[in-house]
Every structure is written in C-alpha cells, then in structure tokens.
Amino acid sequence: MPTFKQNRPPEIVRQTPVTTGTKNLLVSTVRIGGGYYDTVIFDESDDKQHAGFFLGGYVINSSSKKAGNREAAMDDHREAVHAARTDKPFPPNGGHDSGCAYVGGISSNCTCSPEGGAA
C-alpha cells in the first residue's frame, strides 16, 4: 500500500507583535511540515500602510526568511523583531527617483529629498 505525505498546516513557533506610534507589525515564525522554518513580518494595521515596504531584509507581507533548524529560525525571529522595533519601513520606489539608495532595496537610509529628488 503506498504512503502519502500528510499536508499539515504550519505550526506557529513564535509570534511577536511590534506596535509603535507609526507601526503595527507582527513577526511570525512557523515550522513547515518538512522540518524547515519561515519567518515573516506582517502589517497588522487596518489600512496595511506598510504592506510591500522593505524592513530588515524582508518585504512586509510578501517575503520570508527560511531556516533549516529551530536555533537558526529563532535567530532570524530575533533579528526581525529588532528591525521591526528599531528600523523605519521604506517603500519600494515609493515615488523616489533612480538616485535614491532604496529604489533597489539597498538601504533603509533614503538619499532623496522628500520631493523625490537627490538630497
């Protein structure tokens, strides 16, 4: 009789809310059935104002960091929480010109003026 791989929902390993005056984020790390872990940063605000923004090497609501074991996953989780607490999410392109350091996701330190031109 053939055996079938069981598809189970991910197991939540750790979730850490990060709420400040300007951010309402959730850092979530889950264990996927195959034994690897995913860490994601979610925008929990009603208007999803930071969805798609870059923060600490993640795209909020869109990307994850994979780890092969729990220890590495907890390191990723701690780093993501630190970034969520201390860094400012920055938009992809976000109306900035090609001279802006974060148009390509290079840095969270924008080199543009608020009008989008070079500072």
Side-chain angles (χ1 to χ4, degrees):
M1 177 174 192
T3 58
F4 296 99
K5 188 175 183 178
Q6 214 177 7
N7 289 331
R8 293 186 230 164
E11 170 194 342
I12 297 171
V13 176
R14 182 165 295 157
Q15 290 187 324
T16 306
V18 176
T19 306
T20 70
T22 58
K23 297 179 279 193
N24 184 7
L25 304 172
L26 176 70
V27 178
S28 179
T29 298
V30 297
R31 182 175 182 267
I32 307 298
Y36 70 92
Y37 298 78
D38 265 348
T39 299
V40 181
I41 299 176
F42 293 105
D43 182 347
E44 295 288 288
S45 65
D46 291 337
D47 62 359
K48 304 296 184 218
Q49 65 181 344
H50 293 118
F53 280 39
F54 292 102
L55 180 67
Y58 294 85
V59 178
I60 298 172
N61 287 1
S62 297
S63 71
S64 66
K65 192 178 239 185
K66 294 188 181 348
N69 60 61
R70 186 179 178 96
E71 183 178 336
M74 292 300 90
D75 287 344
D76 291 344
H77 188 91
R78 282 186 290 278
E79 289 171 7
V81 168
H82 178 74
R85 287 181 177 150
T86 61
D87 295 351
K88 181 179 177 185
F90 58 95
N93 300 332
H96 297 269
D97 68 18
S98 61
C100 180
Y102 68 57
V103 166
I106 298 167
S107 167
S108 62
N109 299 317
C110 178
T111 59
C112 296
S113 70
E115 293 78 34

